[in-house]
Amino acid sequence: HNDRKLERRYNSLVWKNDIVNGRSDLSRYQILCRNCNEAKQRQNSYNLLKPVVLTGELKTCKTCGLDRDSGFFYIHSGDCRRASCSDCVRRYRFQVTLDCYSALGGHCRCCKESDPFKMNIDHVHNNGCETRHVGIVFSLCKKILLGRVELSDYQLLCANCNYSKMRHG
């Protein structure tokens, strides 16, 4: 059901033991590879968002031109809200991510998977901890597109290949 509420409450071994011992409803679960699991979560990311708190004030989005409740505009600093609505911000971030993936080859370096919902940016030299100051994925994508980081230090891997690299070298 993609809610993951029950599993978050317990230690991961507890709910897995419940499945093995028949104390859990099996219709709630399915076995997916990392690629399919990651794609499912990313494609249905709206399910994981907090509900919008409506304020009753209308604001016009500078990007799409729609009048929306100001609750749809992220708070930038203090009480100041962004000029673009949350939907336009998400579309912009997704487009930046797609452009970054294209700059890194557009497909998994290992198995040639090209679904953007299954892709991960991987540190070629396994030095992610040392370069963590680069920031979150969106910030890293922007830095890659602006040429502020060396392209040869990063590669595009699907979730399966990235996990296999992490676990098995």
Side-chain angles (χ1 to χ4, degrees):
H1 302 291
N2 205 26
D3 59 6
R4 299 190 326 257
K5 290 178 185 172
L6 177 68
E7 292 80 9
R8 272 188 244 134
R9 255 185 270 147
Y10 303 110
N11 177 311
S12 64
L13 292 178
V14 172
W15 65 267
K16 290 175 185 172
N17 276 332
D18 286 348
I19 292 171
V20 170
N21 297 325
R23 293 187 301 261
S24 206
D25 178 15
L26 293 180
S27 68
R28 290 179 43 88
Y29 304 97
Q30 60 184 340
I31 296 175
L32 297 174
C33 70
R34 280 210 177 260
N35 276 350
C36 295
N37 190 40
E38 196 151 317
K40 179 181 176 185
Q41 290 177 21
R42 287 182 180 177
Q43 287 170 337
N44 298 322
S45 60
Y46 281 95
N47 297 341
L48 303 175
L49 296 175
K50 293 179 183 175
V52 172
V53 178
L54 300 179
T55 63
E57 300 173 28
L58 286 180
K59 183 174 178 173
T60 304
C61 175
K62 299 239 187 225
T63 306
C64 65
L66 294 176
D67 289 331
R68 303 189 79 177
D69 188 275
S70 64
F72 284 94
F73 295 81
Y74 296 122
I75 295 177
H76 179 54
S77 60
D79 245 4
C80 179
R81 294 192 179 266
R82 294 199 182 270
S84 297
C85 68
S86 54
D87 289 337
C88 290
V89 170
R90 280 190 206 104
R91 276 193 291 276
Y92 167 73
R93 287 175 176 238
F94 186 65
Q95 188 57 53
V96 168
T97 303
L98 289 178
D99 294 344
C100 175
Y101 290 172
S102 293
L104 291 170
H107 56 79
C108 175
R109 186 176 218 158
C110 185
C111 71
K112 308 302 183 212
E113 173 67 57
S114 62
D115 183 350
F117 292 107
K118 298 176 181 177
M119 293 294 115
N120 296 153
I121 297 174
D122 176 59
H123 295 81
V124 172
H125 307 294
N126 296 326
N127 60 346
C129 293
E130 299 159 18
T131 61
R132 194 75 64 218
H133 67 276
V134 171
I136 59 174
V137 172
F138 176 70
S139 176
L140 176 59
C141 286
K142 282 177 47 177
K143 289 181 181 190
I144 287 172
L145 290 174
L146 294 172
R148 294 186 181 157
V149 294
E150 188 62 43
L151 268 180
S152 62
D153 291 342
Y154 300 95
Q155 64 184 349
L156 201 58
L157 293 178
C158 71
N160 284 342
C161 294
N162 195 28
Y163 185 74
S164 293
K165 179 186 173 198
M166 180 196 71
R167 294 289 287 200
H168 308 293

